[in-house]
Amino acid sequence: TTLNLTTCLNHINISQAEYLHPIPTWASNNTNNTVPKVNEVIQMNVTISDNSNLSGYVFQWNDTGSLVNDSFRNLSITSTSSYVVSVNKTLTKTRGNHIYWRVYFNDTFNNSNQTNLFQFIVANTLPSVSSATINDTNATDIEDLQCNNGSVSDADSDTVTLLYGWLNNSADANINSQTLGNGNTSINQIWQCEITPYDGFGNGTTRTSASVTINSSNFAPTINWTNATSSNGINSTSANPTRNNSFVIFNVQYDDAE
């Protein structure tokens, strides 16, 4: 008995074309970044295979909010067993967004297939603060010190809280306010302040100020004007002294920082 190929294939519901030219397949999907963040470039890969001629593929993803197709990529490859589709994209979605992607592909016999719909979640980008500075670089033991921050930013537009700390001679003073009261300082101590940005999900890089040494608040008064007037009305100053054998009245003007 002679078996007819078409009759056999029809019996098992497979066309002759499908038997001779199976649909292309895919495998080994991969994303190169396990914690992708906004503004980062990520690479998505998948291997497509065919036992005849691959025609091309279309990459699709939803970074704009809905699934959008890229232009058809013509492979122009004949007699190939596989091809690695590799697509680089810049993320514009922020923390918590779900990104989906897949690839449609076909061969020259018009057999088509598509990958599964893959997804990843955009990770949090930590906030940043540019600097920390103490408001007075010539501080004394009778004044409060203030820790001032530079510019603050968060790529995900999260609300950023600034966490403050103070270091006394490089040791943590366990003071977590923006202001350091003068009751905490003594002459010759060396102080620094720290600022850590927090966005509700994680801490950014801590910035530490330059050192400030606490100086004494006791300063000698400064004499800035003198004058002497004789009993007969003649003025005598340190610049123009006079001698007239009479009593004099001395006047001194001075300033005292205290």
Side-chain angles (χ1 to χ4, degrees):
T1 302
T2 302
L3 294 177
N4 183 280
L5 176 61
T6 302
T7 302
C8 292
L9 294 176
N10 286 339
H11 181 70
I12 60 176
N13 200 27
I14 299 177
S15 69
Q16 186 173 354
E18 289 178 308
Y19 175 78
L20 297 175
H21 307 290
I23 64 172
T25 59
W26 63 270
S28 305
N29 64 289
N30 179 60
T31 303
N32 72 331
N33 192 338
T34 58
V35 284
K37 303 177 183 67
V38 63
N39 299 323
E40 290 185 343
V41 176
I42 60 170
Q43 185 179 86
M44 292 152 283
N45 301 314
V46 65
T47 300
I48 57 177
S49 301
D50 192 72
N51 71 343
S52 55
N53 305 328
L54 285 169
S55 175
Y57 68 88
V58 172
F59 177 83
Q60 181 187 70
W61 80 327
N62 74 324
D63 182 68
T64 59
S66 58
L67 287 166
V68 176
N69 293 339
D70 283 358
S71 299
F72 177 78
R73 173 73 182 276
N74 189 346
L75 295 179
S76 299
I77 295 175
T78 60
S79 302
T80 184
S81 59
S82 67
Y83 178 83
V84 178
V85 176
S86 182
V87 179
N88 294 320
K89 293 287 188 181
T90 301
L91 279 176
T92 64
K93 289 296 184 183
T94 54
R95 171 195 50 78
N97 279 279
H98 291 245
I99 302 299
Y100 299 92
W101 67 276
R102 63 184 162 199
V103 174
Y104 294 91
F105 54 103
N106 64 354
D107 62 20
T108 55
F109 292 97
N110 207 30
N111 295 317
S112 63
N113 199 356
Q114 67 186 60
T115 67
N116 290 344
L117 188 61
F118 310 115
Q119 76 155 323
F120 58 85
I121 301 174
V122 181
N124 180 55
T125 300
L126 295 176
S128 65
V129 59
S130 63
S131 62
T133 56
I134 295 177
N135 63 312
D136 190 350
T137 57
N138 191 30
T140 67
D141 59 340
I142 62 171
E143 64 180 297
D144 299 337
L145 298 181
Q146 189 88 1
C147 187
N148 297 323
N149 62 277
S151 59
V152 178
S153 63
D154 186 274
D156 298 310
S157 299
D158 293 323
T159 299
V160 178
T161 301
L162 298 180
L163 308 176
Y164 295 91
W166 291 87
L167 303 177
N168 180 8
N169 295 325
S170 300
D172 187 358
N174 294 314
I175 299 173
N176 303 120
S177 61
Q178 185 177 8
T179 301
L180 177 67
N182 62 71
N184 298 292
T185 64
S186 299
I187 296 171
N188 294 326
Q189 287 181 339
I190 299 174
W191 285 87
Q192 295 169 283
C193 74
E194 295 181 326
I195 302 177
T196 304
Y198 174 68
D199 65 358
F201 302 92
N203 291 335
T205 301
T206 298
R207 301 298 181 184
T208 304
S209 73
S211 300
V212 169
T213 301
I214 304 301
N215 299 306
S216 172
S217 58
N218 296 317
F219 297 101
T222 301
I223 298 175
N224 54 27
W225 181 78
T226 59
N227 182 60
T229 304
S230 66
S231 57
N232 57 10
I234 299 175
N235 288 330
S236 179
T237 67
S238 57
N240 297 290
T242 61
R243 179 180 178 182
N244 54 23
N245 297 317
S246 63
F247 295 104
V248 294
I249 302 171
F250 290 98
N251 295 289
V252 179
Q253 183 182 36
Y254 63 92
D255 289 331
D256 191 337
E258 299 183 275

